[in-house]
Amino acid sequence: MTKRVLLLLADGFEPLEAAGFTDVLGWANIDGEEQIEVVSAGLRPVLKATFGFSVVPQAMLSDLDLTHFDALAVPGGFEGAGFYQDALSEQFIDAIATFEKLGKPVASVCVASLSLAAAGILRGRRATTYHQIGGKRKAQLETYGAIFIDRPVVIEDNLITSTGPGTAIEVAFALLRTLTSEANVQHIRTLMRMPEPSEAWRTQVQVVEAVT
C-alpha cells in the first residue's frame, strides 16, 4: 500500500530542507520496498522560498483531508523571508496538531520545530531547533514547554526535530525508517551514495558556550 506524506510548506521555507524529504522519499518511492507519495501543500497558491524563487505547491492545505496521509514533513525557513507568518498561523499549527492527534509521525527541520511547539505537541517532550550563542530559538522552543536537547536530530515518540538544513537528509531517513524499515533505509542510502553519519556527528552539540 502506498504511504502518503504531506510536505507542509510555509512561505519563506528553505529549499534544501524541503529537498531532503523530496529526494529521500522520492528515491524510496522509485526503488524502495513500498511506494511513498509526497504531496506538497501550503497556505498560498504560490510560495516564495527563502532565497527568492517561487514554488507552486501541489495543493492548498485547506483542500486536503489530512486523515488520508500517513505522515507530515515540515521544512524550516528564514524569519527575514516571512517564514513565521505562515509557520505560526492558526491553520498551519492546527494541521500539525491534527497529525499528532491521529498518532502519525511528524518530522521537522531546523526552526520548523517552533511550529510543532506552537501546536502544543512538544510540551514535556525532548526536542531541538536551530541554536546559536544567545539561544533565541532555544528560548522560544522552551517557552512552549519543550525540553531542549542540543543534538543534530532528536527523535521523541513519533516526533522528529533537528537543528538546521544540514540535517534534512537525516530527518528524512528517520521518517522513512518510521514509515517502512531500517533495511529500506540502508537500501536507499546505498543507492543515493549517502553514508551513515558517525556517532560523533549524532551526538555533537551545536554551540560550545565560551567559558569565562
Side-chain angles (χ1 to χ4, degrees):
M1 178 181 293
T2 300
K3 299 286 179 64
R4 302 184 78 224
V5 176
L6 176 60
L7 180 64
L8 184 55
L9 302 174
D11 206 41
F13 75 93
E14 187 161 357
L16 180 57
E17 298 182 19
F21 295 113
T22 57
D23 274 42
V24 169
L25 300 179
W27 276 78
N29 181 58
I30 295 170
D31 287 306
E33 63 188 31
E34 59 184 299
Q35 291 187 314
I36 298 179
E37 179 188 6
V38 177
V39 178
S40 62
L43 307 186
R44 310 161 190 257
V46 179
L47 297 167
K48 178 179 80 276
T50 288
F51 302 114
F53 61 87
S54 296
V55 174
V56 178
Q58 292 163 276
M60 294 288 288
L61 178 61
S62 58
D63 293 334
L64 297 175
D65 182 345
L66 301 185
T67 65
H68 292 170
F69 290 89
D70 299 286
L72 175 66
V74 191
F78 275 49
E79 183 172 16
F83 175 74
Y84 296 107
Q85 184 175 346
D86 284 0
L88 296 180
S89 68
E90 183 176 0
Q91 186 181 3
F92 203 93
I93 64 176
D94 281 353
I96 294 170
T98 296
F99 275 85
E100 167 66 7
K101 289 175 185 175
L102 294 171
K104 295 179 178 180
V106 178
S108 67
V109 182
C110 196
V111 294
S113 60
L114 298 176
S115 298
L116 276 59
I121 70 174
L122 295 183
R123 181 169 296 278
R125 286 166 145 173
R126 298 161 64 253
T128 195
T129 193
Y130 189 72
H131 180 43
Q132 293 177 298
I133 291 175
K136 177 181 177 180
R137 301 306 179 197
K138 171 181 178 288
Q140 283 181 277
L141 191 73
E142 291 175 329
T143 61
Y144 291 107
I147 302 167
F148 176 79
I149 303 296
D150 196 359
R151 294 291 184 270
V153 178
V154 174
I155 301 172
E156 179 88 335
D157 302 322
N158 63 323
L159 307 178
I160 306 166
T161 57
S162 80
T163 60
T167 66
I169 290 281
E170 291 309 311
V171 171
F173 275 124
L175 182 59
L176 179 62
R177 182 180 297 108
T178 299
L179 291 172
T180 60
S181 68
E182 176 63 25
N184 195 38
V185 167
Q186 294 305 320
H187 174 59
I188 299 303
R189 278 192 187 279
T190 299
L191 293 177
M192 293 183 71
R193 310 297 189 259
M194 188 62 62
E196 183 89 32
S198 67
E199 186 62 22
W201 182 90
R202 292 189 181 279
T203 58
Q204 70 183 8
V205 299
Q206 301 169 80
V207 175
V208 179
E209 301 284 358
V211 177
T212 58

